[in-house]
Amino acid sequence: MSLLVMKFGGTSVGNATAIAALAAITRDHLATWDHAVVVVSAMSGVTDLLLKGASTAAAGDAASYKRIAASLREKHAAALAELVPDGADAAATRGPIEQLIDEFELLCHSVGVLGEASPRAIDAISSLGERMSVRLVAAALRARGIAAEAIDATEFVITSPHFTSAVPIQPQTRERTRERLLPLLERGAVPVVTGFIGATESGATTTLGRGGSDYSGAIIGAALDADEVAIYTDVDGVMTTDPRLVPDARVIPAISFAEMGELAYFGAKVLHPRTIRPVVEHGIPLRIRNTFNAAHPGTLVVSAPEANGRAIKAVTAIKSMSMITVEGRGMIGVPGVAARTFGAVASVGANVLMISQASSEQSICFVVPFSASAAVVHSLEDGLANELARRDVDRIWARDDVVIVTAVGAGMRETPGVASQVFGTLAERHINVVAIAQGSSECSISVVVSSADADAAVRAIHALTI
Ligand code: ADP
Ligand code: ASP
Ligand code: MG
């Protein structure tokens, strides 16, 4: 029994033409695979609109969410009318989608009354996009002769109560997913499941974070012991860099889990960083493919890296970062300062993306998202108050407006001089490197540069991949 789990992203369900392409791909795969599960994102732009509805409602603006509701009705109705002929199934699909938009208006109204959108309310609102798109896509598949059934993952992806960035809980998720989906597969149906969303054990809707539908595909693939997980998107595969920035970026035919993990972690939007782990743990092959160029084999993510003769395979950037520096002569040899520093960072829930190799022991530098910068500095000032008073720590400061640019390639481990190539090419272009770090897996080198230099740095390092 072979099973393929396919995840289709926002642009892949963005309009009737895209959904028709999704249906054709599903039909083609059903000729060779025994079973298929389809996981989908919201139609492109919909999650942004839903979130905008929530934030404008919280600010006391009742007109915006009503306008958004009208445009969501129009967008889904237009796609449905094009994909599904008038009749019972079209009507049975239109009704529930309309109800979900009614629910959106009701939730925004409540947010307006409270004057605040709690993380829980945000998740209830942002989950609606996927709940609408599964209904639309399943009806489109049925209209093309595929026995599809729309299903909300809130029924079986059981998560932590961390609203807006929940994580699935095992073994509940695996058990419930198998219980719900295996009987459907056995009777030859194709489940069309919401990406992005789950529910707590007590049934509150959660989301897995922006871009989280990829993660849903991996969670469901792992739970069902799928033979492959295919992520369908709007580019031919994982490329040497973001093609929107460097038009001559090339598709990478095979990339290792470790390399893909670094790329995703350091900002390559093509795959949500959490997607890798569930599939690695179950040894499931992962493929990234193009909905709009179905004949292209895409990128295969494999366990062992494949040498392509280049130490640097790809480059990526993660923007809107801040570099925090804790500086002081008295830090030399004083135990516990680092522990207290990172304790203070953790206490405000900030994510440290990289810790830089300081040139001396006199400072600790690390990078956090800009959005957390002010809170981190305050927390450090509190946590290190004694050191500051004693002048063991002289200064705690944030440099905002920086970007982490990361070169990735398993070949770096064996190739001497990769770092000097990276710094050489940046120096030639007069790009100042603020800090550096090497990934623990030894297949990445990151440099921090100012925002103004970010694109030039990516282009310069990209030239080294050719
Ligand atoms: P989806 O809605 O299908 O999940 P995303 O927009 O989340 O699609 O991700 C696909 C986009 O990621 C591409 O259109 C591309 O612009 C961007 N991207 C960034 N870095 C890379 C990369 N290294 N390889 C391929 N695409 C990349
Ligand atoms: N619809 C969600 C988002 O826009 C999840 C996803 O597309 O992966 O973030
Ligand atoms: Mg995505």
Side-chain angles (χ1 to χ4, degrees):
M1 278 298 165
S2 60
L3 168 66
L4 173 66
V5 172
M6 289 172 273
K7 175 265 172 176
F8 291 88
T11 40
S12 301
V13 296
N15 55 38
T17 314
I19 295 172
L22 172 162
I25 288 168
T26 305
R27 195 180 25 224
D28 284 353
H29 281 308
L30 285 171
T32 48
W33 295 84
D34 296 320
H35 301 291
V37 174
V38 171
V39 177
V40 297
S41 290
M43 294 179 85
S44 53
V46 166
T47 309
D48 286 341
L49 282 175
L50 294 167
L51 288 169
K52 190 168 172 216
S55 62
T56 51
D61 163 7
S64 291
Y65 77 75
K66 288 183 181 145
R67 260 200 312 276
I68 290 169
S71 84
L72 292 174
R73 282 182 213 282
E74 153 65 24
K75 190 176 174 85
H76 289 84
L80 183 65
E82 241 185 275
L83 288 161
V84 184
D86 251 345
D89 202 26
T93 306
R94 196 176 304 119
I97 292 177
E98 288 286 329
Q99 277 170 21
L100 289 165
I101 299 171
D102 293 344
E103 199 176 323
F104 165 69
E105 292 195 82
L106 206 64
L107 286 164
C108 286
H109 173 76
S110 315
V111 162
V113 171
L114 292 168
E116 179 194 36
S118 66
R120 183 175 174 147
I122 287 177
D123 275 358
I125 291 172
S126 66
S127 71
L128 295 168
E130 273 72 8
R131 293 167 66 195
M132 291 190 272
S133 66
V134 284
R135 285 157 175 83
L136 173 64
V137 169
L141 289 173
R142 286 193 295 270
R144 284 154 186 76
I146 297 167
E149 201 170 308
I151 297 173
D152 290 348
T154 46
E155 290 184 43
F156 50 81
V157 173
I158 308 302
T159 74
S160 66
H162 297 110
F163 295 101
T164 76
S165 58
V167 286
I169 297 172
Q170 301 295 359
Q172 290 91 322
T173 295
R174 180 180 167 90
E175 277 166 17
R176 299 265 290 264
T177 304
R178 296 178 74 83
E179 235 170 64
R180 180 69 172 98
L181 298 185
L182 289 178
L184 285 178
L185 295 174
E186 270 153 30
R187 63 176 158 79
V190 173
V192 179
V193 184
T194 54
F196 185 48
I197 74 176
T200 63
E201 237 144 346
S202 56
T205 300
T206 53
T207 67
L208 308 176
R210 294 306 306 269
S213 293
D214 299 333
Y215 189 25
S216 303
I219 294 164
I220 292 165
L224 298 176
D225 297 327
D227 297 284
E228 182 175 313
V229 172
I231 305 288
Y232 275 92
T233 184
D234 56 2
V235 286
D236 283 339
V238 179
M239 307 183 80
T240 46
T241 194
D242 188 342
R244 281 176 299 193
L245 181 62
V246 183
D248 60 357
R250 305 171 316 282
V251 176
I252 302 169
I255 190 163
S256 69
F257 286 122
E259 291 170 317
M260 191 64 234
E262 296 287 292
L263 267 184
Y265 181 78
F266 285 110
K269 194 190 169 206
V270 65
L271 197 71
H272 188 281
R274 286 189 175 151
T275 313
I276 313 278
R277 192 163 156 197
V279 293
V280 175
E281 282 175 352
H282 288 78
I284 301 170
L286 176 70
R287 227 181 258 280
I288 290 89
R289 303 189 69 168
N290 192 346
T291 305
F292 308 98
N293 186 14
H296 197 290
T299 296
L300 182 62
V301 188
V302 292
S303 54
E306 236 165 79
N308 68 349
R310 287 275 153 205
I312 299 174
K313 251 188 206 175
V315 54
T316 181
I318 181 159
K319 300 193 169 169
S320 298
M321 297 286 124
S322 292
M323 195 173 79
I324 313 288
T325 305
V326 178
E327 199 174 73
R329 287 178 180 282
M331 287 169 61
I332 303 174
V334 178
V337 177
R340 264 204 306 292
T341 299
F342 291 109
V345 178
S347 73
V348 293
N351 183 20
V352 175
L353 281 112
M354 98 176 214
I355 302 170
S356 156
Q357 294 160 335
S359 54
S360 73
E361 252 192 277
Q362 293 179 19
S363 67
I364 301 174
C365 304
F366 54 92
V367 181
V368 297
F370 168 66
S371 55
S373 166
V376 166
V377 171
H378 284 143
S379 168
L380 285 168
E381 283 166 352
D382 274 355
L384 298 175
N386 288 338
E387 284 79 1
L388 282 162
R390 283 199 306 267
R391 304 297 303 267
D392 285 344
V393 170
D394 294 320
R395 210 151 73 104
I396 297 167
W397 53 290
R399 176 170 174 157
D400 294 334
D401 247 348
V402 297
V403 170
I404 305 175
V405 176
T406 304
V408 175
M412 284 178 190
R413 226 170 319 206
E414 296 91 39
T415 318
V418 175
S420 76
Q421 270 185 55
V422 168
F423 302 130
T425 190
L426 296 176
E428 269 169 35
R429 288 164 178 81
H430 308 289
I431 296 169
N432 181 39
V433 174
V434 179
I436 61 166
Q438 180 157 37
S440 52
S441 58
E442 274 185 68
C443 72
S444 73
I445 293 175
S446 295
V447 296
V448 176
V449 298
S450 99
S451 293
D453 289 331
D455 291 354
V458 168
R459 290 197 186 96
I461 297 173
H462 186 255
L464 301 175
T465 69
I466 297 168

